[in-house]
Amino acid sequence: MKRAVLLDVSAIMYRAYFANMNFRTKNEPTGAVYGFINTLLSIINEFKPDYMAAAFDVKRSSLKRTEIYSDYKSNRQSAPEDLITQIPRIEEVLDAFNINRYKIDGYEADDVLGSLAKKIAKQDIEVIIVTGDKDLSQLVEKNITIALLGKGTEGEKFGTLKNSDDVVNYLGVVPEKIPDLFGLIGDKSDGIPGVTKIGEKKALAIFSQYDSLEKIYDNIDNLKNIENEKDIAFMSRELAKIFTDLDITVEEKGLQYGMDREKLYSLCKILEFKMFIKKLGLEEKPQNPTLFSLEDI
């Protein structure tokens, strides 16, 4: 079976930025770009994908979810200026690897990733989504795996969620019930409120008896302190659901990738990434066209 890897660009670049904050040339910061390339090469080595694609976020003010809840993600701090200035360079990296970039007004990268994953998996292609976002665990199903950055064990770089049991071990509920769980506990990182004073431990205890918000509120007489926040719980669940049916055209040609040596050499030269120039042999002049397979990296 062929394999496609989908990149959650925001998750990768934020992690790369904070890991390499002091990297810079005389003219610009470079840590996020350096870490992004390093992670990208690790992903290619680890998963050896046949296809790749990258998803980007849009401005919070344009999100459809703010029409449901105006404070959605309002608690997020603005991205550091040094990171913002590196985003065009990260786009250059993706272009140098001929990895298509996807972004849709009104929707988050999670929604783009979810829609791409569903469409690709239906073509009998294994999909691996590389992210740091636990919300995406709700997408796990046959042919769709989540690879969590920095969550690997015993020397592994990625923690992989391949099936429902993996997700239950990670979050306590099966993938399709994750929005219901967040309906109760919320998600501080996204500004999803959830029900007051319901933490993860208490929520999972409730879910052991009633595995959906509907069942929970149908049995409200057996529970305490949540009856007055039913609307908030159902709204929070709606905010946590990932859209998987966005209008995205997915064609095999658009998912193909390969390294353009000249583009990557030029970028690494400007950013003084000597290690990558040496590691990838970018100074060597290829006899064939610049686009080639990455199988040997």
Side-chain angles (χ1 to χ4, degrees):
M1 181 182 290
K2 290 190 174 182
R3 176 180 293 167
V5 166
L6 307 181
L7 307 174
D8 182 351
V9 173
S10 291
I12 298 171
M13 73 180 188
Y14 266 91
R15 185 177 177 81
Y17 170 76
F18 286 108
N20 305 288
M21 291 182 66
N22 296 323
F23 284 38
R24 62 182 307 117
T25 66
K26 291 181 180 179
N27 301 314
E28 60 184 297
T30 61
V33 188
Y34 178 89
F36 192 91
I37 295 175
N38 211 28
T39 301
L40 182 56
L41 294 177
S42 293
I43 290 167
I44 293 169
N45 276 328
E46 179 78 14
F47 301 114
K48 297 178 173 54
D50 300 285
Y51 309 108
M52 295 190 80
F56 280 74
D57 279 312
V58 296
K59 291 183 179 179
R60 190 195 79 87
S61 58
S62 75
L63 293 176
K64 299 285 186 182
R65 287 180 176 84
T66 59
E67 298 172 7
I68 300 172
Y69 183 54
S70 60
D71 285 339
Y72 180 71
K73 286 196 171 179
S74 62
N75 60 331
R76 289 278 183 98
Q77 294 183 344
S78 298
E81 188 61 34
D82 274 2
L83 175 56
I84 292 173
T85 61
Q86 294 180 74
I87 293 176
R89 292 296 195 190
I90 289 171
E91 291 174 340
E92 287 183 58
V93 171
L94 292 168
D95 290 345
F97 281 85
N98 287 274
I99 297 173
N100 270 359
R101 296 181 263 135
Y102 291 83
K103 179 191 294 188
I104 297 181
D105 286 341
Y107 296 96
E108 300 175 59
D110 288 4
D111 304 316
V112 176
L113 291 165
S115 297
L116 284 170
K118 293 282 187 177
K119 289 178 183 291
I120 295 169
K122 284 181 180 179
Q123 300 176 32
D124 201 29
I125 296 172
E126 179 188 4
V127 178
I128 298 174
I129 302 173
V130 179
T131 182
D133 191 345
K134 62 182 182 294
D135 300 8
L136 283 160
S137 303
Q138 66 188 266
L139 298 174
V140 171
E141 62 179 39
K142 181 183 178 182
N143 289 352
I144 300 179
T145 293
I146 301 300
L148 294 165
L149 294 159
K151 297 293 184 179
T153 57
E154 298 179 2
E156 295 180 351
K157 293 185 178 180
F158 305 94
T160 54
L161 306 176
K162 298 181 179 181
N163 52 48
S164 289
D165 288 344
D166 291 341
V167 177
V168 171
N169 289 335
Y170 181 52
L171 290 176
V173 296
V174 295
E176 59 268 25
K177 295 300 180 181
I178 289 174
D180 291 80
L181 176 64
F182 287 169
L184 284 186
I185 66 174
D187 186 347
K188 289 183 179 180
S189 65
D190 285 340
I192 297 176
V195 176
T196 305
K197 295 183 180 179
I198 298 291
E200 185 175 342
K201 186 176 180 179
K202 187 172 183 178
L204 291 176
I206 294 172
F207 267 89
S208 68
Q209 294 179 283
Y210 314 109
D211 66 355
S212 71
L213 289 186
E214 284 80 6
K215 290 180 182 179
I216 289 169
Y217 280 95
D218 283 344
N219 292 275
I220 197 65
D221 292 340
N222 299 326
L223 302 167
K224 296 180 180 180
N225 302 323
I226 69 169
E227 64 273 8
N228 295 327
E229 297 188 44
K230 180 178 179 179
D231 290 345
I232 293 174
F234 278 87
M235 178 194 71
S236 296
R237 181 176 72 174
E238 195 64 24
L239 293 171
K241 286 181 181 177
I242 293 175
F243 292 91
T244 59
D245 57 355
L246 300 185
D247 186 15
I248 301 176
T249 300
V250 180
E251 297 178 352
E252 183 178 0
K253 185 177 180 181
L255 296 173
Q256 292 176 341
Y257 74 105
M259 186 168 63
D260 186 318
R261 298 172 69 103
E262 291 183 2
K263 282 185 180 180
L264 192 57
Y265 174 74
S266 177
L267 181 61
C268 288
K269 194 75 173 175
I270 292 169
L271 300 181
E272 301 175 6
F273 293 163
K274 296 179 181 179
M275 186 190 83
F276 293 133
I277 291 174
K278 182 178 180 180
K279 180 177 180 179
L280 301 175
L282 297 177
E283 288 179 319
E284 300 169 10
K285 297 296 181 181
Q287 296 178 350
N288 298 319
T290 55
L291 192 61
F292 72 103
S293 170
L294 298 169
E295 291 178 358
D296 297 325
I297 289 180

